[in-house]
Amino acid sequence: MSVVNWMVDRTNPVVLRESRQLVRSRFAVGIMMAFLLIMVVASALYVLTTGHKSYNAFSKGKDLFMILYMILGYATILFVPAFTALPFLGQKQANSMDLLFVSTIPPRSIIFGKMISALWMTVLLFSVSMPFMVLTVLLRGIGLFEVLLYLAMQMALVLLATIGCLLLVCLPTSRVFTGLIGIGYFMLLLMFPGLTLSFGSRGVSGEFVAVLLVVVALLLPMLGALTTTLISPKVSNRALPARITITACWIVAGLTTILQPDAFEAWSYIFVLGAGLALFLCTSDPSVLSRRVQHAVPKNAFLRLLAFPFFNGPVSGWAWCLTLGCITIGVHTLGLGYSEGSVLASWLLYGMMYSLMAVFIRRVTFVRRFCSEKYTWAIALFLAALGCILPLLANFAVDPTGRAKLLWHMGNPFAAFDKEPESHLLFAGVVCGLFLLLNARWIFRQFAAFRPPQDLKPKA
Amino acid sequence: MKIVVDQLHKTFGKNTALDGVSFSFDSGHIFGFVGPNGAGKTTTMRILSTMMEPDHGDAFIDGVSVVQDPEQVRRCIGFVPDSLPEHKDITVHEYLEFFARAYGMRGKRCRTAVADIEEFTGVEGMRDKVLAALSKGMKQRVSVGRALLNDPGVILMDEPAAGLDPRARIELRELLSALAEQKKAILVSSHILSELTEICHGVVIIESGRILEKGTVADIKSRMQASLKLVVRPLEDPEKVRHELQRLPTVEEAHDEAGELMVSIDGDEDAGADILTALVQQGCRLAEFRQETVDLEDIFMSITKGNVQ
């Protein structure tokens, strides 16, 4: 009993609360019972309808497993993320989150607790399905190890879907916008079991599941860190946990490619493409540090320089993205050659170019009257879309019958993947340099402001 | 424990929510925070509870800055929001236990803290009831209990009496008085001014982000009431009584208001007693003779203009 008490005491409070709610929730119990019933009916129908047929005598277990796996897939991928994330939406709106922030529990523990609860819920659903899975093994056609591989794959996908759902409900958008994205996300989740089943029909290898688990193991902390960032108080240094986690994942993934060289190209492409997109998001960071964050700025100039990319602020964010991107491109160029590297470099420079343009437009033009700092990312995205479409439309207007020449592709980051990345690199570099000069004072001000304050002293 | 709010400024876009708000109070005191909707009460509360940061200025809880060291501040404050806990699937005990754990309490310490709070707030009889099934008064007790779990020196309460019936208000008042006796510093924002008059040691009146009045209730009353006012209700012949009053040197003004004579005098309570003696000696028969007092509501209405940010 004391061991149980000790364990309960050390359990994350969010896990404890969610677990209690799970076993008490009529909805959850209803889902479990419905799931169990569907499993029983599906198994019984399959056995009754195929029992007399001998042509598939050695694959009955596999066939039944595929049916049951489909049911399990839909049940877990829809129920677990919904049960974990949707109450969170309610808590956000009922200010319950505020109460948590007044306590001493860190935001990362809240997200971690939610994820552990999701894991526990998935295990519960897996446990319900276990007798049926054993039945499939007894019917032959599938081995126990293969069943476990499938379950591991499903578990990884459910956790990924759950963290995605948590990220979605934490987005600082209106309910309508969240609802619209939610519908899209729901449609995506509906595709998951079908996809896993299509893999399953060809058989699933241990190596494939291992790679999937590694990818999910890297994605989970990154998405978790982003979610933590979104629920952290605005006045805190929200950038720090996300950037540290993503940097750590970037290093671990990079080191993993030494063991698995096939993944090297994927690693560099994913992180550079991600860095290019993150440049857009960073433009929306507040350019003035909150006083609480200012107090966390190191006093030592060298440490300050190292810490700069890990603090809030657009310029800090850009410094972090560019550092990660440039190192990745450098490693990529060393490994695969200059032409490959220049494709990635032009993507990154295009990202920087549109970010700088967006900041300049928001700061200097009439746009500043109706667009606040936090929507700068939308301007950057809009400019990038214009950069992709406008030159092509202009080309079509000039010469409707001819193919667009290189010149008409300038400004399109995707075109760099097609041909002559060096020309794109040059174009993006020149425009980037121009807007860097135009934003120079604003950028310098942020560098200069990155120091601890000296005015505040506690009063007795 | 001393709470110092020093020149808080906060703007939301073009709206100034707080414009140089400063006040202070000590432990063992209940401080009322009064103002119309949009005056800046909740913004101040949120800054004190570290959920928001001021643009300028600072607040210190026992010398610890809410801007510089919010984590340390959170350890010594309890916050009661204006919304009540409404969970349908969590019991009172589980709710309190969850927050005790969120404050990092474990094992025996957690169990003892929750049991003590349940006893103190009088909810031990309904610890296994779900929160949604409780009355508003009981939910408020649970909410106060949650704020007390980490034994804070300072308790911030945002509209705690809103929506409560008279009995629940009296119970809340008793709870606050008991907390003040335990040397807690309590800041209560409320619209129900009669409640505050009875329990608060001091009051801050705020409007449009600026402090209009602050100090003890008695001090504010004396400031607002420059001269002593008496209410005299003659049993018969009010004209004679008014005439007699106007002859007295300490009486500045006496006028009739719905059968009662409102008398302004130049002097203290001794002068009032002399007036009563003089009236009786002149054979005036009086049904009522009392000193007119202003309550917080009168003060509030006289100094606020109803401006909203």
Side-chain angles (χ1 to χ4, degrees):
Chain A
M1 189 63 188
S2 60
V3 176
V4 174
N5 279 344
W6 184 87
M7 281 174 68
V8 169
D9 273 339
R10 261 115 202 109
T11 308
N12 181 313
V14 178
V15 177
L16 211 60
R17 189 187 65 178
E18 302 270 321
S19 306
R20 278 173 176 160
Q21 285 175 326
L22 177 70
V23 293
R24 200 170 290 155
S25 162
R26 284 180 190 169
F27 173 69
V29 173
I31 290 280
M32 294 276 180
M33 295 308 288
F35 173 64
L36 189 64
L37 189 69
I38 293 168
M39 283 282 198
V40 170
V41 170
S43 305
L45 278 178
Y46 182 81
V47 171
L48 288 174
T49 55
T50 61
H52 61 285
K53 293 173 184 167
S54 56
Y55 65 88
N56 62 346
F58 292 100
S59 64
K60 272 183 185 165
K62 175 108 180 181
D63 293 345
L64 177 61
F65 176 81
M66 286 303 158
I67 295 167
L68 297 179
Y69 186 68
M70 189 77 163
I71 297 167
L72 178 71
Y74 277 116
T76 48
I77 211 105
L78 297 180
F79 171 68
V80 176
F83 197 82
T84 309
L86 293 184
F88 207 46
L89 199 62
Q91 284 162 15
K92 257 177 72 188
Q93 277 153 9
N95 288 335
S96 298
M97 297 303 293
D98 284 356
L99 290 180
L100 274 177
F101 294 141
V102 178
S103 73
T104 48
I105 192 167
R108 67 172 181 278
S109 291
I110 300 171
I111 299 299
F112 183 71
K114 286 267 174 195
M115 289 308 293
I116 296 292
S117 308
L119 183 73
W120 154 234
M121 255 182 264
T122 316
V123 168
L124 213 61
L125 281 165
F126 279 12
S127 312
V128 172
S129 71
M130 261 308 154
F132 304 96
M133 298 299 175
V134 171
L135 177 69
T136 62
V137 174
L138 294 175
L139 285 173
R140 291 180 294 183
I142 190 162
L144 188 61
F145 180 67
E146 206 177 342
V147 169
L148 291 175
L149 281 182
Y150 275 109
L151 292 183
M153 186 164 73
Q154 186 60 25
M155 173 80 79
L157 292 176
V158 170
L159 290 179
L160 200 59
T162 306
I163 194 69
C165 209
L166 277 172
L167 184 69
L168 180 69
V169 298
C170 292
L171 284 176
T173 54
S174 67
R175 289 172 81 170
V176 176
F177 194 67
T178 307
L180 285 174
I181 305 175
I183 292 168
Y185 191 71
F186 177 72
M187 306 299 267
L188 186 74
L189 290 187
L190 284 179
M191 288 164 58
F192 266 40
L195 282 175
T196 49
L197 207 64
S198 69
F199 277 119
S201 61
R202 277 175 267 139
V204 65
S205 69
E207 194 184 4
F208 172 76
V209 175
V211 171
L212 181 76
L213 290 181
V214 169
V215 171
V216 171
L218 286 169
L219 280 174
L220 278 180
M222 288 201 280
L223 293 174
L226 286 175
T227 314
T228 305
T229 300
L230 290 176
I231 65 161
S232 297
K234 284 178 187 166
V235 289
S236 63
N237 187 14
R238 299 166 97 185
L240 184 70
R243 288 185 194 158
I244 284 185
T245 311
I246 295 172
T247 308
C249 290
W250 170 72
I251 294 168
V252 171
L255 292 175
T256 313
T257 61
I258 297 171
L259 300 172
Q260 190 75 29
D262 296 346
F264 176 70
E265 208 168 351
W267 169 76
S268 48
Y269 268 84
I270 287 170
F271 277 97
V272 175
L273 293 181
L277 293 173
L279 284 168
F280 283 20
L281 293 178
C282 292
T283 57
S284 290
D285 252 12
S287 55
V288 178
L289 289 183
S290 74
R291 291 163 64 194
R292 190 180 299 178
V293 176
Q294 271 187 314
H295 282 282
V297 174
K299 289 188 174 71
N300 181 291
F302 178 67
L303 289 178
R304 206 155 59 226
L305 190 69
L306 288 181
F308 184 70
F310 293 93
F311 272 70
N312 293 347
V315 179
S316 301
W318 290 342
W320 177 74
C321 292
L322 291 176
T323 308
L324 239 66
C326 290
I327 295 173
T328 312
I329 291 166
V331 174
H332 186 91
T333 309
L334 283 174
L336 298 173
Y338 172 72
S339 65
E340 288 284 332
S342 60
V343 173
L344 293 177
S346 54
W347 170 269
L348 198 64
L349 265 183
Y350 269 126
M352 195 64 228
M353 179 183 101
Y354 287 119
S355 301
L356 284 166
M357 282 167 86
V359 165
F360 181 76
I361 288 171
R362 194 202 55 75
R363 279 191 320 110
V364 178
T365 67
F366 68 96
V367 175
R368 71 170 187 261
R369 281 185 222 148
F370 57 85
C371 183
S372 69
E373 222 168 12
K374 66 177 177 181
Y375 296 116
T376 318
W377 67 270
I379 303 174
L381 205 62
F382 180 69
L383 289 172
L386 281 185
C388 293
I389 298 164
L390 274 187
L392 285 178
L393 289 178
N395 172 246
F396 183 73
V398 172
D399 181 12
T401 53
R403 271 195 76 188
K405 293 189 177 68
L406 178 67
L407 178 69
W408 298 108
H409 286 292
M410 285 298 150
N412 184 346
F414 298 99
F417 291 91
D418 188 27
K419 56 183 173 182
E420 296 198 35
E422 291 82 5
S423 307
H424 286 278
L425 198 61
L426 184 67
F427 172 77
V430 169
V431 182
C432 220
L434 177 70
F435 278 93
L436 201 63
L437 284 175
L438 290 171
N439 286 307
R441 276 182 66 187
W442 178 79
I443 292 170
F444 179 75
R445 270 206 305 273
Q446 283 184 58
F447 271 119
F450 189 71
R451 55 184 66 248
Q454 287 145 6
D455 55 337
L456 283 170
K457 287 189 178 72
K459 289 190 174 180
Chain B
M1 191 164 279
K2 190 173 177 71
I3 290 83
V4 178
V5 175
D6 182 26
Q7 288 295 318
L8 289 184
H9 287 261
K10 181 75 189 174
T11 54
F12 296 104
K14 288 175 184 169
N15 290 334
T16 304
L18 298 178
D19 188 7
V21 170
S22 301
F23 61 90
S24 65
F25 63 104
D26 286 312
S27 53
H29 287 161
I30 303 175
F31 224 71
F33 203 38
V34 187
N37 290 333
K41 300 189 298 292
T42 301
T43 304
T44 310
M45 287 282 192
R46 289 178 73 83
I47 288 173
L48 281 171
S49 60
T50 74
M51 285 189 284
M52 200 181 268
E53 197 181 67
D55 297 334
H56 303 288
D58 206 343
F60 302 92
I61 311 284
D62 213 17
V64 183
S65 160
V66 296
V67 175
Q68 292 182 44
D69 203 351
E71 283 78 20
Q72 181 66 23
V73 167
R74 268 179 230 142
R75 288 194 188 100
C76 53
I77 60 162
F79 180 61
V80 181
D82 55 353
S83 55
L84 297 171
E86 299 283 357
H87 305 270
K88 289 176 187 153
D89 47 10
I90 189 163
T91 66
V92 171
H93 182 74
E94 287 164 357
Y95 181 77
L96 293 173
E97 192 193 16
F98 170 70
F99 276 99
R101 286 166 173 277
Y103 276 110
M105 293 179 206
R106 296 286 184 270
K108 197 179 171 190
R109 190 174 156 230
C110 175
R111 286 189 287 276
T112 311
V114 173
D116 287 351
I117 289 301
E118 284 171 349
E119 190 189 342
F120 178 73
T121 52
V123 297
E124 74 266 56
M126 45 194 65
R127 66 199 291 271
D128 295 322
K129 274 194 174 180
V130 291
L131 284 163
L134 299 181
S135 66
K136 276 190 176 176
M138 275 301 154
K139 281 178 194 160
Q140 189 59 277
R141 278 168 174 263
V142 174
S143 194
V144 173
R146 183 201 50 71
L148 295 173
L149 278 166
N150 57 329
D151 192 23
V154 180
I155 300 161
L156 309 168
M157 306 180 103
D158 197 5
E159 301 288 352
L164 299 188
D165 63 30
R167 171 175 283 278
R169 277 184 204 166
I170 291 167
E171 285 172 356
L172 178 69
R173 209 163 63 198
E174 286 167 358
L175 197 63
L176 291 183
S177 300
L179 287 170
E181 279 170 23
Q182 290 182 4
K183 296 288 169 201
K184 309 265 186 214
I186 305 165
L187 183 65
V188 187
S189 90
S190 182
H191 285 126
I192 303 161
L193 303 173
S194 54
E195 298 293 322
L196 293 180
T197 311
E198 287 176 46
I199 57 167
C200 287
H201 302 97
V203 172
V204 172
I205 300 176
I206 183 171
E207 188 175 43
S208 303
R210 289 184 181 189
I211 287 185
L212 303 179
E213 273 293 344
K214 62 182 172 185
T216 64
V217 178
D219 282 348
I220 294 178
K221 278 182 183 176
S222 65
R223 274 205 298 275
M224 293 304 295
Q225 207 170 8
S227 60
L228 198 64
K229 283 195 168 61
L230 300 173
V231 180
V232 180
R233 186 156 63 87
L235 197 60
E236 56 191 30
D237 200 358
E239 203 46 45
K240 182 194 169 193
V241 176
R242 193 163 70 88
H243 182 70
E244 289 298 335
L245 279 168
Q246 282 173 338
R247 283 177 52 200
L248 296 169
T250 51
V251 173
E252 289 177 334
E253 193 206 347
H255 64 273
D256 198 338
E257 251 181 41
E260 286 181 337
L261 292 168
M262 310 304 288
V263 185
S264 297
I265 64 168
D266 179 19
D268 54 10
E269 288 178 338
D270 277 346
D274 292 342
I275 290 169
L276 177 61
T277 310
L279 287 176
V280 173
Q281 281 173 352
Q282 292 301 321
C284 297
R285 298 185 70 206
L286 306 177
E288 191 178 357
F289 184 95
R290 63 181 162 85
Q291 187 178 324
E292 192 193 47
T293 54
V294 289
D295 59 16
L296 205 51
E297 208 154 313
D298 298 324
I299 295 170
F300 180 75
M301 290 307 290
S302 68
I303 64 173
T304 60
K305 301 184 185 86
N307 290 343
V308 178
Q309 287 296 323

